[in-house]
Amino acid sequence: MGENFPNRPEMITPDWLSDRLIQNGLLTDQRVTGIKFKAIGTGQVGDSIRFTLSYDCGGIGPPTIAGKFAASDPISRGTAQMMKLYLHEVCFFRDFAKDLPIITPRPIFTDIADDNGDFILLMEDLGPARQGNQLDSCSLEDACHAVIQAAALHGPSWGNADLTDAPDIQTDPKIRVIAASLYPAATQTFVERYSKDIPADLMAIVIRMGELAQPLFSRQRGHKCLTHGDFRLDNMLFDVKGGTAPIAIVDWQTLAPGDGAVDLGYFMGAGIGSQLRRVAEDELLDLYCKEMADHGVPLTRSDIETGYRFGAIQGVSTAVFSAANVVRTDRGDANFLSMARGALELMQDTGALTLLEEA
């Protein structure tokens, strides 16, 4: 980690970028001569950028690359800094990505400030691609590709202490205490903001979870494998590089050791929504178990049941906490409502609230 790196897109110079591309074998002895950039994506705790590059005469390099930086909005940035979200993403691309079969962008350069407040991540641009859209759900085929990628993360990292015990991705117990203290107020904000948009029986679950903040955030997730932590459609690209690969997983700021079935429940509840989930749930859960077995981790539906239910709980708590602690936008409101509805309905269908009430 260090302090000497460009922490905003406008600070990247042609000479600095030329050196990074050469170091990664993406450029020979030519140089970048021009850089243009524009914002992409809808992330709320980081700024995502696409850079369009030009080169000197005869220079052949990537026409575009993607970049991520700390959020410009101070509220979002402060939340990410407190939760060490930028550090987790840097750790994934710096230390883990090359050793896992999951499809994700190839990193070009990443660094982070010692206080975790500024960071930079430059990576390959996977376009043209189809951006997953939380508000539209997805096809069953897309959902199957996502479940296969979940197993590609969970299976190879299962029981691998070199990965799950890495210090930079551990959750500080103090953060759990802080989150538990902030969660009731976040619940109140969520209820006041969205009470007209969520049915009363589902909102009652939100309110009850606010009363159960201590067991919600003190629960030990275990260190079975690496988990994405925000495994939903907005963090997925489909038909990447013009269809060269069916899917890629992005946004690794919530990487943490845990129970892979939690990612699965999060995706099925907060991710694809109830209409597709209720039709395809058995097929997708069976696919996950098959893929995990193919990675050498035989699991039954019974083995993943508790984690799956906790995934629905995590989908609700993420929507509630994020809505109150990042900058508010129309897209953000729609996104948090979509996440909460799907996760609440999965909680209701599986009786997941009892996991907290009996803790």
Side-chain angles (χ1 to χ4, degrees), residues 111-185:
D111 204 351
I112 188 167
D114 291 335
D115 67 355
N116 300 318
D118 280 316
F119 87 109
I120 180 175
L121 169 61
L122 299 181
M123 52 192 162
E124 67 174 322
D125 186 354
L126 294 178
R130 177 166 49 89
Q131 172 69 57
N133 189 334
Q134 185 70 35
L135 306 183
D136 292 340
S137 187
C138 67
S139 67
L140 176 56
E141 181 180 10
D142 286 347
C144 287
H145 287 307
V147 168
I148 291 168
Q149 288 301 296
L153 172 66
H154 302 153
S157 64
W158 192 274
N160 186 337
D162 289 339
L163 300 180
T164 59
D165 292 351
D168 283 347
I169 62 168
Q170 304 306 313
T171 301
D172 187 336
K174 295 179 182 178
I175 293 178
R176 292 183 180 276
V177 173
I178 293 171
S181 68
L182 295 175
Y183 193 74

Side-chain angles (χ1 to χ4, degrees), residues 22-42:
I22 290 170
Q23 289 169 2
N24 281 271
L26 299 174
L27 196 61
T28 54
D29 57 352
Q30 298 88 8
R31 309 295 290 179
V32 176
T33 56
I35 302 174
K36 297 179 180 179
F37 61 87
K38 65 177 181 179
I40 55 174
T42 58

Side-chain angles (χ1 to χ4, degrees), residues 34 183 208 328:
Y183 193 74
R208 182 60 176 144
R328 188 176 185 186

Side-chain angles (χ1 to χ4, degrees), residues 238-293:
F238 296 94
D239 300 326
V240 298
K241 292 186 175 180
T244 302
I247 189 174
I249 310 301
V250 298
D251 290 332
W252 293 90
Q253 295 173 343
T254 47
L255 177 77
D259 182 347
V262 174
D263 267 351
L264 184 63
Y266 187 98
F267 174 69
M268 298 278 278
I272 64 175
S274 297
Q275 183 174 354
L276 175 59
R277 191 256 305 170
R278 286 170 174 155
V279 171
E281 188 169 34
D282 287 339
E283 179 176 347
L284 292 171
L285 293 179
D286 288 342
L287 175 62
Y288 179 77
C289 292
K290 173 189 175 299
E291 290 292 318
M292 289 295 285

Side-chain angles (χ1 to χ4, degrees), residues 33-354:
T33 56
I35 302 174
K36 297 179 180 179
F37 61 87
K38 65 177 181 179
I40 55 174
T42 58
Q44 292 185 284
V45 292
D47 293 346
S48 297
I49 304 294
R50 173 173 288 117
F51 295 90
T52 300
L53 310 179
S54 55
Y55 301 89
D56 57 12
C57 183
I60 299 175
T64 60
I65 61 173
K68 292 188 72 173
F69 301 85
S72 302
D73 175 75
I75 297 175
S76 300
R77 181 192 183 100
T79 298
Q81 186 175 12
M82 178 187 73
M83 304 293 289
K84 297 186 178 180
L85 302 184
Y86 302 146
L87 177 60
H88 288 202
E89 186 152 42
V90 167
C91 182
F92 174 78
F93 282 103
R94 183 190 64 203
D95 301 332
F96 299 154
K98 65 183 182 298
D99 297 321
L100 295 168
I102 194 164
I103 304 172
T104 197
R106 174 187 173 185
I108 297 170
F109 178 80
T110 189
D111 204 351
I112 188 167
D114 291 335
D115 67 355
N116 300 318
D118 280 316
F119 87 109
I120 180 175
L121 169 61
L122 299 181
M123 52 192 162
E124 67 174 322
D125 186 354
L126 294 178
R130 177 166 49 89
Q131 172 69 57
N133 189 334
Q134 185 70 35
L135 306 183
D136 292 340
S137 187
C138 67
S139 67
L140 176 56
E141 181 180 10
D142 286 347
C144 287
H145 287 307
V147 168
I148 291 168
Q149 288 301 296
L153 172 66
H154 302 153
S157 64
W158 192 274
N160 186 337
D162 289 339
L163 300 180
T164 59
D165 292 351
D168 283 347
I169 62 168
Q170 304 306 313
T171 301
D172 187 336
K174 295 179 182 178
I175 293 178
R176 292 183 180 276
V177 173
I178 293 171
S181 68
L182 295 175
Y183 193 74
T187 299
Q188 183 177 355
T189 297
F190 189 90
V191 172
E192 292 173 352
R193 187 178 295 177
Y194 304 122
S195 60
K196 295 181 180 179
D197 301 296
I198 292 181
D201 59 332
L202 297 180
M203 193 61 89
I205 298 175
V206 174
I207 294 169
R208 182 60 176 144
M209 284 178 60
E211 298 168 349
L212 296 167
Q214 291 303 321
L216 174 62
F217 288 96
S218 63
R219 178 181 64 87
Q220 297 300 312
R221 296 184 296 178
H223 286 198
K224 296 179 180 179
C225 62
L226 294 178
T227 63
H228 184 279
D230 195 17
F231 200 72
R232 57 188 176 86
L233 293 174
D234 277 10
N235 295 331
M236 301 174 187
L237 301 173
F238 296 94
D239 300 326
V240 298
K241 292 186 175 180
T244 302
I247 189 174
I249 310 301
V250 298
D251 290 332
W252 293 90
Q253 295 173 343
T254 47
L255 177 77
D259 182 347
V262 174
D263 267 351
L264 184 63
Y266 187 98
F267 174 69
M268 298 278 278
I272 64 175
S274 297
Q275 183 174 354
L276 175 59
R277 191 256 305 170
R278 286 170 174 155
V279 171
E281 188 169 34
D282 287 339
E283 179 176 347
L284 292 171
L285 293 179
D286 288 342
L287 175 62
Y288 179 77
C289 292
K290 173 189 175 299
E291 290 292 318
M292 289 295 285
D294 289 346
H295 287 291
V297 186
L299 295 174
T300 66
R301 291 274 292 272
S302 178
D303 293 329
I304 65 174
E305 179 182 357
T306 298
Y308 182 66
R309 295 164 73 198
F310 267 120
I313 293 172
Q314 183 170 306
V316 176
S317 63
T318 298
V320 170
F321 193 85
S322 299
N325 289 284
V326 301
V327 61
R328 188 176 185 186
T329 65
D330 290 343
R331 179 57 167 75
D333 282 346
N335 182 55
F336 298 138
L337 279 168
S338 171
M339 291 177 63
R341 283 196 201 100
L344 286 164
E345 287 167 352
L346 180 54
M347 284 188 67
Q348 193 173 62
D349 289 351
T350 61
L353 186 62
T354 59

